[in-house]
Amino acid sequence: QQKVQQSPESLSVPEGGMASLNCTSSDRNFQYFWWYRQHSGEGPKALMSIFSDGDKKEGRFTAHLNKASLHVSLHIRDSQPSDSALYFCAARRHYGSSGNKLIFGIGTLLSVKP
Amino acid sequence: GALVYQYPRRTICKSGTSMRMECQAVGFQATSVAWYRQSPQKTFELIALSTVNSAIKYEQNFTQEKFPISHPNLSFSSMTVLNAYLEDRGLYLCGARGGAFSDYTFGSGTRLLVI
């Protein structure tokens, strides 16, 4: 079973709109989260990480984590066509341990229409 | 900044042959290197994680005999796909990080096509 579940699989929003992506870890051992973005033809790039309950804001991007439910979301306000990409949620078991692995969800394909 | 380069970007190999891909970390010391395969459906599979001073750990369904990995220093890693078949096709991604509290930086991948 996939340890990290994402929804929706695809999402289309108008330019200037709000995009909301969801992610849940089914394994309580994996509770440190990252959001990665992958444009076509490139590798994934880390957008932001979140480890504590509540919101974390970086520019137009806001991540929210609920540790009790192991649910994390990513909200993109004022979406731009350049935000169109695959977005992956990734989770790790520990933050500081050198040997632990990063597990990815299946991704959400975001399309921002001009 | 931290950059990871992978080469070749794209390669085609005949079924049953082998193919080696390389990963170079620039601007930081890659104490951990993770190799992933991204399927045509875009899902990520972790192949193995290599950390300095530790044995390389392979995930279930991946073996050293099929995907031997070398991590000889803090800036370079390579992986070979031995005896490649159709099910091995995909985008092979190298992610590296410079310490236990660093984020992984990924290269652009090596796309493997098997004919």
Side-chain angles (χ1 to χ4, degrees):
Chain A
Q1 184 196 3
Q2 189 83 11
K3 287 189 188 297
V4 178
Q5 287 99 32
Q6 281 187 252
S7 65
E9 285 191 19
S10 63
L11 177 64
S12 182
V13 300
E15 184 175 356
M18 173 77 83
S20 295
L21 291 67
N22 298 294
C23 171
T24 303
S25 170
S26 61
D27 186 336
R28 293 215 70 84
N29 291 312
F30 287 82
Q31 55 179 284
Y32 294 90
F33 294 92
W34 279 258
W35 284 100
Y36 279 81
R37 179 167 71 182
Q38 184 181 28
H39 284 109
S40 181
E42 298 177 8
K45 288 184 172 52
L47 274 177
M48 59 195 302
S49 59
I50 184 164
F51 309 142
S52 305
D53 270 315
D55 290 339
K56 182 177 181 182
K57 186 176 177 181
E58 291 186 5
R60 297 184 293 111
F61 298 83
T62 300
H64 176 83
L65 173 60
N66 180 325
K67 288 199 106 169
S69 60
L70 290 179
H71 178 263
V72 61
S73 56
L74 178 69
H75 305 277
I76 308 172
R77 65 171 175 82
D78 188 23
S79 296
Q80 301 298 308
S82 58
D83 294 327
S84 298
L86 266 170
Y87 288 77
F88 291 94
C89 173
R92 231 155 80 182
R93 188 186 296 258
H94 303 294
Y95 177 42
S97 171
S98 59
N100 71 99
K101 54 193 177 186
L102 189 65
I103 303 297
F104 284 82
I106 62 168
T108 294
L109 180 62
L110 173 64
S111 177
V112 180
K113 306 288 188 188
Chain B
L3 293 171
V4 172
Y5 293 102
Q6 286 187 253
Y7 34 89
R9 286 294 303 270
R10 182 184 171 99
T11 187
I12 301 172
C13 68
K14 284 188 175 179
S15 183
T17 64
S18 300
M19 189 275 152
R20 181 171 180 260
M21 54 192 75
E22 299 181 344
C23 174
Q24 184 90 33
V26 177
F28 69 106
Q29 294 184 322
T31 57
S32 291
V33 174
W35 285 92
Y36 290 82
R37 179 171 67 197
Q38 189 174 25
S39 68
Q41 294 73 34
K42 304 301 183 187
T43 55
F44 283 85
E45 296 174 279
L46 177 62
I47 297 170
L49 177 62
S50 173
T51 302
V52 290
N53 301 322
S54 297
I56 298 172
K57 294 179 184 174
Y58 285 83
E59 290 295 292
Q60 196 173 11
N61 301 327
F62 297 96
T63 64
Q64 183 181 7
E65 289 70 33
K66 170 75 175 178
F67 299 95
I69 289 169
S70 171
H71 187 186
N73 56 54
L74 292 174
S75 63
F76 182 82
S77 178
S78 67
M79 184 177 75
T80 301
V81 180
L82 292 174
N83 205 12
Y85 287 101
L86 267 179
E87 58 264 27
D88 295 320
R89 64 194 168 127
L91 182 67
Y92 287 81
L93 289 159
C94 166
R97 63 184 181 129
F101 294 91
S102 303
D103 292 340
Y104 276 96
T105 299
F106 285 85
S108 296
T110 293
R111 185 166 298 282
L112 175 63
L113 299 171
V114 182
I115 57 172

